[in-house]
Amino acid sequence: MRTTIGVDGIDDLIEGGLPIGASVLVAGEAGTGKTVLCIQFILAGIREGEPGVYVTADPPGRILEEASSLGWDLRGAIEDGYARIVQVGAPPAPPPPAEDEEDASPPGGGPPGGGPPGGGPPGGRPGGGPPGGGMPFGNVPDDAPPAPQPLDAMAAMKEIEAAVAEIRAERVVIDRPVRPGTAEPADAAQFVADLVRATLERTHCTTLVAGQRVRGGAGYTTLGIEEQVVDGIIDMAIVEEDGHRRRVLSIHAMHGTAANLDDHPFAIVRGRGIVLGEG
C-alpha cells in the first residue's frame, strides 16, 4: 500500500507514492525547500483523509507563516482538528504576575492578561477548542519565545503520541527537532535517532524527517545520523549551471521501491508549493 507525498511528479518516481508507514529523509541545504515539502506532505494527507502532526523545535508560528506565505491555510486545518504542530521541549515558565496585577481583569470581564473569554482560542475539533482547553498547536502558543532544548527523546515522544492520538494522525513530519547551537552534535544526533525510531515504533505513521546540511558539506545531513534510521532519502539541492542557480530533487533510496535516481528541476510556486519539472 502506498500514499501520495503530495507533489505532482514525485509519486511517479517511486512507483506511485510512499510506502504507508515508511520513514523518509528529506535532506538538503538551507533554502532548498525542505519545509515546503513537509508542509505540502501534511496538507496532501489531509486531502486523502490522513491527518498529520508536525514536530519541530521552532515556534509553531514559523511553520504557520511558511504555509501562509504559500497561500496555504494550515492554521485552519489545525483549528478543524486535522493537524497539530508539536514544539519539541517545554517553553520556559511565565514569570509570576506582579502583586498588584493578580486580580486585574480587562474591560468586558475577560480573563487576566487579555486572553479571549473562555480560557483559550477556538480550535481543535469543529465547535470548540481541543480537549482540555489547550492550545491547538501542541504544547505552546504560536508566538511563544524560543525555549531551551531539553534533549529528552522520550519526553518529546509523549507529546507526539498525544497529538497523534488526539487527531488519529496517519502522517508525521519531524523538521528541525534540535535548534542549531543548542546541543553538542553527538547529543543532537542521538536525540534525533531515538526520536525517529520511537516515532516509527509507537505511531506507525508515514513519516518525513527533514535534515539539513551545510552547503558543500559531506554526507546527506550535518548530523550524519538521519539517513541511518530511515527507509528512503529524497535529496534537495541547489546547483549552478551557466551562471544560473536552480533547485533539483532526486530520490537516492527508497526501501522496496524501484526509484528514478535522476536529478529533477523544480520550482516553489505560491498556491502549489513544489512543482517538479519547473525551475
Side-chain angles (χ1 to χ4, degrees), residues 8-251:
D8 291 341
I10 294 185
D11 289 343
D12 296 335
L13 305 179
I14 49 177
E15 296 188 343
L18 299 175
I20 291 178
S23 59
V24 176
L25 170 64
V26 180
E29 64 196 71
T32 50
K34 299 184 298 299
T35 295
V36 175
L37 177 56
C38 288
I39 296 172
Q40 207 164 342
F41 170 73
I42 291 292
L43 294 175
I46 293 170
R47 292 194 296 271
E48 296 292 317
E50 302 173 8
V53 172
Y54 204 108
V55 181
T56 179
D58 293 321
R62 172 182 173 267
I63 306 303
L64 295 173
E65 289 171 6
E66 181 89 17
S68 179
S69 72
L70 290 161
W72 294 334
D73 186 17
L74 180 58
R75 183 184 293 272
I78 290 170
E79 291 175 349
D80 289 341
Y82 297 112
R84 287 287 179 266
I85 299 177
V86 174
Q87 185 177 11
V88 177
E99 186 172 331
D100 59 350
E101 296 176 352
E102 289 182 348
D103 297 324
S105 296
R125 300 291 181 180
M135 292 295 295
F137 307 116
N139 59 343
V140 293
D142 65 323
D143 58 352
Q149 177 64 57
L151 296 184
D152 185 340
M154 291 305 101
M157 189 63 239
K158 289 180 181 179
E159 297 277 355
I160 297 169
E161 280 188 295
V164 167
E166 181 185 357
I167 63 171
R168 299 180 181 178
E170 297 183 38
R171 297 186 177 208
V172 170
V173 160
I174 300 176
D175 180 11
R176 281 174 40 112
V178 180
R179 288 194 188 90
T182 61
E184 293 297 325
D187 294 337
Q190 188 63 55
F191 172 78
V192 171
D194 290 344
L195 187 63
V196 173
R197 290 191 185 105
T199 298
L200 296 173
E201 292 171 0
R202 298 193 182 195
T203 71
H204 305 289
C205 290
T206 308
T207 302
L208 292 192
V209 181
Q212 186 159 319
R213 66 170 173 266
V214 177
R215 181 168 175 78
Y220 287 107
T221 68
T222 300
L223 293 178
I225 191 67
E226 296 93 334
E227 61 265 38
Q228 301 179 39
V229 294
V230 296
D231 301 311
I233 300 171
I234 297 174
D235 192 70
M236 305 175 77
I238 297 175
V239 298
E240 187 167 338
E241 297 177 350
D242 300 325
H244 298 282
R245 291 184 176 182
R246 63 172 183 163
R247 295 182 174 97
V248 297
L249 177 151
S250 56
I251 311 297

